[in-house]
Amino acid sequence: MKLILAVIQDQDSNKLMNALVDNNFRATKLASTGGFLKSGNTTFMIGTEDIRVDRAMQIIKENCRARDQLVAPVSPMGGNADSYVPYPVEVEVGGATVFVLPVEQFHHF
Ligand code: 2BA
């Protein structure tokens, strides 16, 4: 068994959850925060048999798309003024960032 952890954008979360449930995957949605943008994103926890990992990955790819997001400049007050960027910078936020972990034990009481 594997545990898939997928960090995705909030905008894609309902679509992804519906697609997973339609394909008989069990998933848990967690509210999370990205360390770089410090804004909300969504983390899916999907427990599944090894042979279904590729299908789950395909569904994630089909339902999550990359978007450009603006990073607001952070005030240099109390920080290092040398690295201060006075204008918003655009970064591309995935798609999805996915980890696949082996599951040692699974219990469902
Ligand atoms: P954030 O940390 O808020 O990062 C958002 C986007 O900012 C990233 O998109 C990337 O394009 C950019 N970025 C992140 N760190 C950067 C840096 N040090 N310098 C320049 N640009 C940077 P994604 O790579 O698609 O990541 C989307 C979200 O996935 C991340 O949100 C974070 O919540 C999660 N994530 C990404 N890599 C991870 C990792 N290795 N471990 C845990 N979570 C991760």
Side-chain angles (χ1 to χ4, degrees):
M1 187 174 199
K2 294 281 192 281
L3 178 67
I4 301 171
L5 287 180
V7 185
I8 68 151
Q9 295 184 58
D10 293 343
Q11 296 99 306
D12 295 323
S13 66
N14 282 341
K15 214 171 120 197
L16 177 60
M17 184 57 100
N18 290 337
L20 288 169
V21 171
D22 286 349
N23 283 273
N24 287 315
F25 284 99
R26 294 191 177 201
T28 299
K29 220 167 85 170
L30 306 168
S32 46
T33 305
F36 188 69
L37 294 179
K38 295 179 177 57
S39 65
N41 52 27
T42 301
T43 300
F44 274 77
M45 242 171 62
I46 308 160
T48 190
E49 300 82 26
D50 291 22
I51 53 159
R52 300 199 71 214
V53 169
D54 287 348
R55 178 68 187 130
M57 220 58 86
Q58 191 186 0
I59 293 170
I60 294 168
K61 273 188 198 154
E62 284 168 5
N63 288 280
C64 302
R65 67 176 180 87
R67 294 178 186 88
D68 290 332
Q69 209 161 307
L70 284 178
V71 184
V74 178
S75 159
M77 290 227 312
N80 182 357
D82 295 340
S83 60
Y84 177 58
V85 183
Y87 47 84
V89 177
E90 210 167 53
V91 292
E92 188 186 75
V93 184
T97 301
V98 185
F99 303 86
V100 181
L101 290 77
V103 173
E104 199 166 304
Q105 289 188 25
F106 170 72
H107 301 283
H108 185 227
F109 300 115

